């Protein structure tokens, strides 16, 4: 299984770009975005993280479906505004998966075999067997970090800017795929200035 991102939806882009001018207005402007708004948005959005000038990027919301190995999820979960809407559950789905089909290609086949053997043991046990819970725990504890689960996530351009800048040179190829996905989002590069930072 490969890391992938699909079903991407971007909301509020033009409204947020327009709102980037609010600090200099005596009234909120709800007129359509124009070139001047995008130029201002690009200037403010390319400010260094933490300065606050790029706060309007929080208003550009993104929903996406990510399928990733457990080792990637551990890193991604450190970001505060990268939130789970809902995810696949090991509790409910683990025994429905073939372990090897859910793992990235670099996962050691010996580990896959052990995990699949443990899954098969649990599947053969009666649901009422008191030892089933202990066997289930062994299976969950044995799952390789290369095991992939999917989730629907929500985030925003400001958080994606942070993730992009922190992960674009990361050792894991998954982060390179993630950053390439960010670059394809509407107006992401010009509004965040990541190509200049």
């Amino acid at each position: 299984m490969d890391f992938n991102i699909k079903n991407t939806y971007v909301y509020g882009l033009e409204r947020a770009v327009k709102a980037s001018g609010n600090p200099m207005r005596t009234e909120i402007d709800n007129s359509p975005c124009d070139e001047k708004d995008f130029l201002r948005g690009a200037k403010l959005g390319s400010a260094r993280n933490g300065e606050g000038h790029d706060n309007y990027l929080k208003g550009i919301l993104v929903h996406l479906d990510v399928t990733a190995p457990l080792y990637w999820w551990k890193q991604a979960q450190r970001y505060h505004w990268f939130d789970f809407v809902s995810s696949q559950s090991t509790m409910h789905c683990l025994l429905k998966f073939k372990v090897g089909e859910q793992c990235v290609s670099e996962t050691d086949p010996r580990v896959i075999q052990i995990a699949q053997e443990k899954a098969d043991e649990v599947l053969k046990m009666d649901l009422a067997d008191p030892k089933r819970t202990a066997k289930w725990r062994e299976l969950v504890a044995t799952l390789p970090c290369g095991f992939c689960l999917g989730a629907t996530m929500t985030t925003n351009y400001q958080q994606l800017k942070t993730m992009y800048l922190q992960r674009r040179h990361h050792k894991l190829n998954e982060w390179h795929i993630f950053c390439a996905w960010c670059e394809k989002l509407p107006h992401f590069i010009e509004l965040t200035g990541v190509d200049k930072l």
Side-chain angles (χ1 to χ4, degrees), residues 125-142:
M125 297 177 84
D126 186 86
L127 291 173
D129 188 333
K131 296 178 185 173
R132 193 170 195 268
T133 299
K135 285 291 181 190
W136 167 259
R137 288 181 56 82
E138 283 181 26
L139 168 59
V140 172
T142 304

Side-chain angles (χ1 to χ4, degrees), residues 88-95 136 140:
Q88 289 179 314
S89 167
T90 52
M91 180 64 70
H92 297 296
C93 294
L94 182 54
L95 295 174
W136 167 259
V140 172

Side-chain angles (χ1 to χ4, degrees), residues 7 16 22 25 33 41 49-50 61 69 76 79 105 135 149 159 172 191 194:
N7 303 323
N22 285 349
R25 294 188 181 118
C33 262
N49 285 3
L61 306 178
Y79 294 103
S105 61
K135 285 291 181 190
L149 290 173
Q159 183 65 87
L172 292 178
L191 291 178
V194 293

Side-chain angles (χ1 to χ4, degrees), residues 1-8 64-73 76 82 84 86-88 97 101-104 145-153 173-175 177-178 181:
M1 177 163 279
D2 292 324
F3 175 89
N4 69 73
I5 301 171
K6 57 187 178 182
N7 303 323
T8 302
L64 61 148
D65 291 335
V66 182
T67 300
L70 299 178
Y71 59 78
W72 186 85
W73 282 118
F82 191 54
F84 285 88
S86 188
S87 65
Q88 289 179 314
F97 293 129
E101 292 174 6
Q102 286 298 121
C103 291
V104 294
C145 282
F147 188 84
C148 293
L149 290 173
T152 299
M153 307 297 292
N173 189 49
E174 289 85 355
W175 284 114
I177 295 168
F178 185 88
W181 167 81

Side-chain angles (χ1 to χ4, degrees), residues 27-152:
E27 286 187 39
I28 301 296
D29 182 356
N30 197 26
S31 64
C33 262
D34 58 25
E35 185 179 342
K36 182 180 173 185
D37 295 314
F38 274 96
L39 288 171
R40 179 186 56 251
K43 181 178 180 184
L44 294 171
S46 63
R48 288 183 306 194
N49 285 3
E51 289 184 348
H53 300 298
D54 64 352
N55 278 347
Y56 85 92
L57 293 171
K58 287 187 280 191
I60 307 172
L61 306 178
V62 183
H63 285 203
L64 61 148
D65 291 335
V66 182
T67 300
L70 299 178
Y71 59 78
W72 186 85
W73 282 118
K74 287 191 289 186
Q75 293 181 359
Q77 288 172 353
R78 74 178 300 276
Y79 294 103
H80 182 68
W81 295 110
F82 191 54
D83 293 326
F84 285 88
V85 173
S86 188
S87 65
Q88 289 179 314
S89 167
T90 52
M91 180 64 70
H92 297 296
C93 294
L94 182 54
L95 295 174
K96 297 175 185 177
F97 293 129
K98 293 242 183 262
V99 176
E101 292 174 6
Q102 286 298 121
C103 291
V104 294
S105 61
E106 297 87 352
T107 308
D108 190 317
R110 296 171 298 174
V111 177
I112 292 171
Q113 182 179 345
I114 292 167
Q116 188 61 59
E117 287 170 3
K118 292 195 177 293
D120 293 342
E121 283 180 45
V122 175
L123 283 167
K124 289 176 187 171
M125 297 177 84
D126 186 86
L127 291 173
D129 188 333
K131 296 178 185 173
R132 193 170 195 268
T133 299
K135 285 291 181 190
W136 167 259
R137 288 181 56 82
E138 283 181 26
L139 168 59
V140 172
T142 304
L143 272 182
C145 282
F147 188 84
C148 293
L149 290 173
T152 299

